[in-house]
Amino acid sequence: MSQEGQTLAPLEPLPQCEGPKLHPFPPGNDSIDFIRVLGYDQNPNDLEEMNEPGIHSNVFEVCIRSKRYALKIFKFYNGAQNEYNSLLNRDKKRVSFDTVRTHNDPFYNECRAHGRLIEKGVEGKIAVRCYGYITIPAEKEIDLWRKFSIRDWDRTEEESRQPIAQRRPLRAIVKELLSNNAPYTPKVVHKMLRDLRKMRRLGVYAMDIAPRNYIAGLLVDFSIAMTKPHYWLEVTSKHTVHFWLGMDLHRLDEMIEEKKVKTWQRATRNPVYTQKLRAYVKFMRRDNAHRLKDYFQSL
């Protein structure tokens, strides 16, 4: 076993709430060798950057059983109480605190999203492949600090004062290591569009479509994703739900524009194109009407 390693432990599917769950990574007496950091924290105090890589987690290239993976280790989620307090009193009668916690924790968001893709048989086809989750003893924090200067895992102040052996283990998800960052060609963009639409039909809403969350044309981040069933979709007005769930489609269109991809396909209706199309159809109808009139008059 490498000095960098930590033994994996048998676990149960998570989260323990209604809806899809992610199975644990196959157990064994194997170690995790940390090779390099794939994603650092960036501007954690800047509200405009709250969805940047590293805000919810840190991603490492690791080696397990002689195979390379991307290991996403999550920070601890401490916002459940505020989210629950923000609910109306009538909604608190329908939604439990545990439901709010499991539907907002970035780790559980990823578990639920990947769990749904796995249960529908599309894992690795429309998003990065996920192999399951693991827990890592808290003692590993010392090694990660020494080797990569990463030490902030958003533990509560009370827990941080405890001996490290008594702290909760870190939670992580094992994913396929993608290295081919494909250019944004029309073919790649068309597949991204099909994949996003299919995810939405399966009840998975990424809620954070951006170039940084795609590698080789596959979505790799579900930290703030919503997966049905989700309490927010039940307690929020249909108009608001429609608006926010539609943002993914608009952001994908923005990506297509930013990358200057020459394609007529769009995730949402293009107002300029639609206006031109309607004008053309209207013109053709008038033109055909005149042609038919001239034809019948000639008989």
Side-chain angles (χ1 to χ4, degrees), residues 13-28:
L14 290 177
Q16 291 301 306
C17 65
E18 181 185 3
K21 299 172 177 54
L22 182 64
H23 56 77
F25 187 76

Side-chain angles (χ1 to χ4, degrees), residues 145-161:
W145 180 15
R146 290 173 178 169
K147 187 171 183 177
F148 303 112
S149 299
I150 295 177
R151 61 177 178 176
D152 182 15
W153 298 102
D154 285 350
R155 293 186 184 277
T156 63
E157 184 176 343
E158 180 181 359
E159 185 178 17
S160 297
R161 290 196 296 265

